[in-house]
Amino acid sequence: MEKVLHKGFKYDTVPEKYVFPPEERQKKLASNKSIPVIDLANAKAYIGLGHDEIVKQILEAGKEFGVFQIVNHGVNNEVMSKMLEVMEEFFNMPLEKRVIHYSEDLCKPVRLFTSTGAHDIVPLWRDCLRMAIYPVENFKQYWPEKPSNLKETVERYAVEMKGLTEKIFGLITEGLGLEYDYLNGGLSGQPMISHVNYYPPCPDPSLTFGLAKHCDPGLVTLLLQGDVSGLQILCNGEWQAVDPVPNAIIVIYGHQMEFVTNGQLKSVEHRAITNDMQSRISIATFIQPAMDCLVAPAKKLLDENNPPLYKSFLFGDYFANYVANLGDKLKLTEHFQNTTP
Ligand code: OGA
Ligand code: NI
C-alpha cells in the first residue's frame, strides 16, 4: 500500500485508483434543516437558568439528527486553534519527516496512515495521524517530537477534551434520568483516541471521498473541523452539510450511545467530502468503552412498553464487527439487535 496521499505537491488530476464508480459518487445535497448549535454558556453542574433548556436541546438533537454543534463549551479557544495550527504544520513537514510515523500495526499508540489504513477497494482522499491522547502520561512519550510544540499542544488539548466529555456526559445522563456518572467508568474506559484527518486539495471532488459513509463506533466523537466545510450527515435518507461555526465543537453520537439509550439517541451516519480549493484538517476525538466492557441498554430506560431493542455484548466483539463491516450501521445494527421477543 502507498504510505501517504499527501506527498508535498498539489495534484493536477485525480489518480485513477481514487475514482469512485459513478453510482457511488455524491449527488445533490438536501436543502438544509439546520443542525442544532447549542450554547452551553449556562450549563452548570446544578439546575440553573437556561440549564434545563440546554439538556432538552442535547436530547432533542440526538433524537432528530444524532449530531449537534456546541459553542461556549468552555474549551479554551486558543488551545483549539493551536491544535489545528500545529497539526497543519505537521502535515506541511517534508514527507520524510512525516513517514517515520507510518505504520500498519494497529496496536501502535501513534501512527500515520492513509485512507482507512486497510486495503480499500477505492482508497479515500485522506491521510490520518492517529494518536492515543489520554491519559496523557501513558502516551505523551509516543507523540511526534516535531513540530517542537506538538506535545505540549496535544497535552493541553487532551485535558480539555476529557473535561468536555465529562460535562457533556453529565448533561446527557441528566436528560435521560440516569445516574450522573453512568457513562463514565467502563463505558468510556478506553484511552481517548484522536484522529487528525488531513484532506489535501482534490482536483475533482466529485470523484472522490475523504471518508465514506460510516457511523462512529463509540459513545461520542468530539470533532473540530476548523473553518473548511466537508462534513456531511445522512438525515432521513438525504445528505446534508454540517457547516463550520466559529470556535464550535461538533458532537457526534456514536453507535454505543444508541445501544445504551435503547435507541433514544441516534448514532448518525456521516462522511467527509473533499474540496479543490484548500486542504482541510479535522480532529476527531473518540470516547469509547473498554474492550472488555459489557454494553447493554440501560435498565432504567426499560419497562414493559420499552423492551430492550439490543442484545448485551462485549465492546470488543462489536469493534471486531465494526472493522469487518467498515462501520456499516445497518449491518452492525442487524447483528446486535434483540431478536428474542
Ligand atoms: C471521523 C469523521 C469527519 C470529518 O473521523 O470519524 O467522521 O469531517 N470525520 O473529518
Ligand atoms: Ni466519523
Side-chain angles (χ1 to χ4, degrees):
M1 186 172 40
E2 197 139 19
K3 289 193 170 165
V4 293
L5 166 67
H6 174 49
K7 305 213 174 54
F9 59 82
K10 209 168 157 182
Y11 287 83
D12 298 326
T13 54
V14 177
E16 196 65 39
K17 66 173 183 177
Y18 290 93
V19 176
F20 273 79
E23 65 278 9
E24 289 177 30
R25 291 178 203 162
Q26 46 178 319
K27 302 186 183 68
K28 244 183 109 232
L29 284 190
S31 51
N32 277 9
K33 264 180 107 182
S34 50
I35 289 148
V37 178
I38 304 178
D39 187 336
L40 296 191
N42 292 325
K44 300 273 159 53
Y46 56 86
I47 311 294
L49 194 66
H51 176 93
D52 293 356
E53 188 55 29
I54 293 167
V55 169
K56 201 167 136 220
Q57 286 176 8
I58 288 179
L59 290 201
E60 287 302 312
K63 289 176 183 167
E64 191 171 356
F65 297 98
V67 63
F68 55 97
Q69 306 209 50
I70 46 177
V71 293
N72 295 319
H73 35 60
V75 174
N76 187 314
N77 288 341
E78 188 229 314
V79 174
M80 289 172 28
S81 51
K82 260 261 150 355
M83 184 73 178
L84 286 164
E85 213 174 276
V86 79
M87 290 308 161
E88 177 130 29
E89 259 179 70
F90 174 87
F91 281 100
N92 283 334
M93 291 195 308
L95 185 60
E96 65 274 13
K97 292 222 166 87
R98 278 180 282 131
V99 288
I100 54 172
H101 301 288
Y102 178 84
S103 175
E104 296 185 16
D105 177 356
L106 304 184
C107 297
K108 280 209 154 170
V110 172
R111 66 187 190 99
L112 180 70
F113 60 91
T114 193
S115 188
T116 63
H119 296 269
D120 312 288
I121 303 168
V122 182
L124 302 166
W125 197 263
R126 166 231 200 188
D127 289 336
C128 178
L129 176 65
R130 177 187 167 91
M131 287 182 290
I133 62 164
Y134 195 93
V136 168
E137 62 280 9
N138 294 3
F139 302 114
K140 193 175 182 178
Q141 57 185 305
Y142 303 109
W143 300 341
E145 299 291 337
K146 294 238 153 50
S148 55
N149 56 348
L150 185 142
K151 283 191 195 241
E152 80 178 66
T153 308
V154 173
E155 175 163 1
R156 292 175 71 197
Y157 191 73
V159 172
E160 293 277 9
M161 288 303 108
K162 181 68 185 170
L164 181 61
T165 303
E166 283 170 6
K167 184 168 180 170
I168 292 171
F169 280 180
L171 295 165
I172 294 173
T173 49
E174 186 186 325
L176 292 168
L178 297 174
E179 297 92 82
Y180 183 78
D181 61 356
Y182 192 85
L183 300 174
N184 301 338
L187 280 174
S188 47
Q190 204 175 133
M192 275 166 54
I193 306 279
S194 289
H195 278 182
V196 182
N197 300 305
Y198 184 85
Y199 309 100
C202 176
D204 188 347
S206 73
L207 305 177
T208 61
F209 282 109
L211 274 176
K213 179 174 92 169
H214 66 283
C215 66
D216 287 347
L219 280 175
V220 294
T221 303
L222 304 172
L223 185 81
L224 199 59
Q225 74 163 343
D227 52 11
V228 183
S229 189
L231 174 65
Q232 296 183 342
I233 63 157
L234 192 59
C235 189
N236 301 323
E238 293 188 303
W239 287 100
Q240 78 175 65
V242 183
D243 287 324
V245 169
N247 296 320
I249 292 172
I250 301 167
V251 182
I252 298 173
Y253 284 118
H255 212 176
Q256 303 319 303
M257 195 63 99
E258 191 164 325
F259 296 133
V260 168
T261 64
N262 203 35
Q264 282 197 44
L265 302 178
K266 287 198 182 55
S267 151
V268 69
E269 290 175 285
H270 55 285
R271 68 184 183 189
I273 56 159
T274 61
N275 82 84
D276 55 358
M277 301 299 286
Q278 48 195 327
S279 57
R280 172 171 182 264
I281 288 189
S282 70
I283 302 167
T285 302
F286 304 104
I287 317 302
Q288 309 191 131
M291 288 296 177
D292 62 356
C293 175
L294 191 68
V295 178
K299 290 222 167 62
K300 269 203 174 166
L301 305 179
L302 305 175
D303 56 34
E304 65 261 39
N305 299 320
N306 294 289
L309 301 176
Y310 309 104
K311 301 175 191 164
S312 313
F313 52 85
L314 292 181
F315 181 69
D317 289 343
Y318 173 88
F319 199 73
N321 270 278
Y322 182 89
V323 174
N325 290 299
L326 301 169
D328 184 321
K329 189 178 170 189
L330 193 66
K331 284 194 194 142
L332 287 160
T333 304
E334 272 170 13
H335 199 274
F336 292 100
Q337 73 196 357
N338 202 357
T339 43
T340 50

